[in-house]
Amino acid sequence: MSQIPARLFSPGLPAAGQDVVLLVEGKTLRILEPSRYLPERGIQLRRVGFDLKGLELAWDDGAGRHALQILDAQAAATLISALPPTLHEALAALALSGRKQRRARRLGWSALALFFATPLLMLGLFLAFADPIAGWIAERIPLEQERKLGEASFTQMKAELQLRDDSEGAQKLRELGQRLTQGSRYNYEFHLADKTEINAFALPGGIIVVHSGLIRATTRPEELAGVLAHEVQHVELRHGLKNIVKQLGLTGLWMFATGDIGSGLAGSAATQLLSLKFSRDAEREADAHGLDSLLRSGIDPRGMPDFFRILADKAGAPPAMLSTHPQSAEREQALRDKLASLPPVPAKPLGWQPWPPAL
Ligand SMILES: [Zn+2]
């Protein structure tokens, strides 16, 4: 005779059930207090409990449905070994369904784990392949969209730039710019900003701004052409656009991973535009392609490494352009090496006098 602690659910009992003791006496199953016999036939067995090691015996009678649960795994095992033969068939069915139930539950857990792991997995993939993915997306953004993005950003900073687009310096910028952008898919704008820092930058879609301080630092127009050729290539190679796509892509994925959709994207595209920093690779790429475009335009390409020399010599107080990697001296050397490997190209000096022009 076995005494097994159990919980009884019956009509008239509290919804949470009532603790009882189940007695197995030969072929009969009896509950103590309130004392009652379980029917000999019509008992269904079911696995219950978090790990499905408990057992439930359920049956119907005139009063309704009753269930007796034995959640303790040890007690359930004891009961199973003592069950009368009338329940052996139900026991066999239970063994079969138990395996299925456990498998289903395992599948459930795997699916849940995958669900939570997927955003992190995607984040990892994106981090590993951010550049090619951003490049792939950027190439699919229409030119007008790119242009609008650049214009929105330019409008925001316009007042602060103090443009001098009527000056002779601005005229020279446009002249050089036109030569360097022959046959481009973009419509370029070249602007001169009255600012002392040695700086120039390109916005997506073809807006290029050069500071008067940069032109003052040049000793001949070919050096300015070198800077312009570099900036034009940032546009041609869509570096700015790729940067933004990369940033937004990660933000988007991060929001997806954390469920923090609320913080919104408004204004972030413009902000990121303003704080563009190109990667080492992007700078090198713009240098190399810029050099090619100088050669194609018949402008003496040595102006480009010459200007990096000027920047390197000013390294004591790094201007904005210098604060980016790689270092100017390194870039100068890479360009000189490349030029040395090419047959000498005859280029007529621009010979614009006086230099620098009126800014
Ligand atoms: Zn650059």
Side-chain angles (χ1 to χ4, degrees), residues 230-231 234 278 282-283 286-287 321 324 331:
H230 172 93
E231 295 304 329
H234 278 316
F278 295 127
E283 295 299 354
D287 285 351
M321 274 184 84
T324 61
R331 292 167 71 178

Side-chain angles (χ1 to χ4, degrees), residues 125 265 344-345:
L125 276 176
L265 285 171
V345 188

Side-chain angles (χ1 to χ4, degrees), residues 5-74:
R7 183 166 278 262
L8 178 67
F9 300 85
S10 275
L13 291 182
Q18 181 186 320
D19 285 329
V20 295
V21 172
L22 177 68
L23 288 179
V24 185
E25 304 166 318
K27 286 184 183 179
T28 61
L29 296 170
R30 183 157 69 96
I31 296 168
L32 294 178
E33 307 208 31
S35 174
R36 67 171 74 159
Y37 286 92
L38 270 63
E40 275 187 33
R41 308 254 163 220
I43 290 182
Q44 291 124 40
L45 299 179
R46 186 165 76 97
R47 283 294 191 178
V48 290
F50 178 73
D51 51 2
L52 295 177
K53 291 204 165 130
L55 187 67
E56 181 190 78
L57 292 76
W59 67 95
D60 287 301
D61 65 13
R65 182 145 182 99
H66 308 264
L68 193 66
Q69 289 193 345
I70 299 97
L71 289 179
D72 178 70
Q74 194 61 52

Side-chain angles (χ1 to χ4, degrees), residues 110-134:
S110 322
L112 207 63
L114 194 67
F115 177 78
F116 283 111
T118 300
L120 288 173
L121 198 70
M122 284 173 65
L123 192 66
L125 276 176
F126 195 90
L127 284 172
F129 298 105
D131 286 329
I133 293 173

Side-chain angles (χ1 to χ4, degrees), residues 84-153:
T86 47
L87 280 170
H88 284 178
E89 200 179 319
L91 204 57
L94 177 76
L96 211 66
S97 74
R99 272 200 295 279
K100 271 190 209 152
Q101 228 173 327
R102 273 195 298 277
R103 198 181 309 141
R105 205 169 266 213
R106 254 202 317 275
L107 275 177
W109 277 114
S110 322
L112 207 63
L114 194 67
F115 177 78
F116 283 111
T118 300
L120 288 173
L121 198 70
M122 284 173 65
L123 192 66
L125 276 176
F126 195 90
L127 284 172
F129 298 105
D131 286 329
I133 293 173
W136 188 86
I137 295 170
E139 280 309 322
R140 274 149 190 83
I141 294 173
L143 290 191
E144 318 91 76
Q145 296 291 324
E146 189 182 0
R147 176 82 192 184
K148 271 187 200 155
L149 205 62
E151 266 166 10
S153 172

Side-chain angles (χ1 to χ4, degrees), residues 307-316 322 328-329 332:
F307 187 68
F308 279 124
R309 172 48 37 202
I310 291 170
L311 286 180
D313 289 344
K314 287 185 191 291
L322 252 187
S328 304
E332 178 201 358

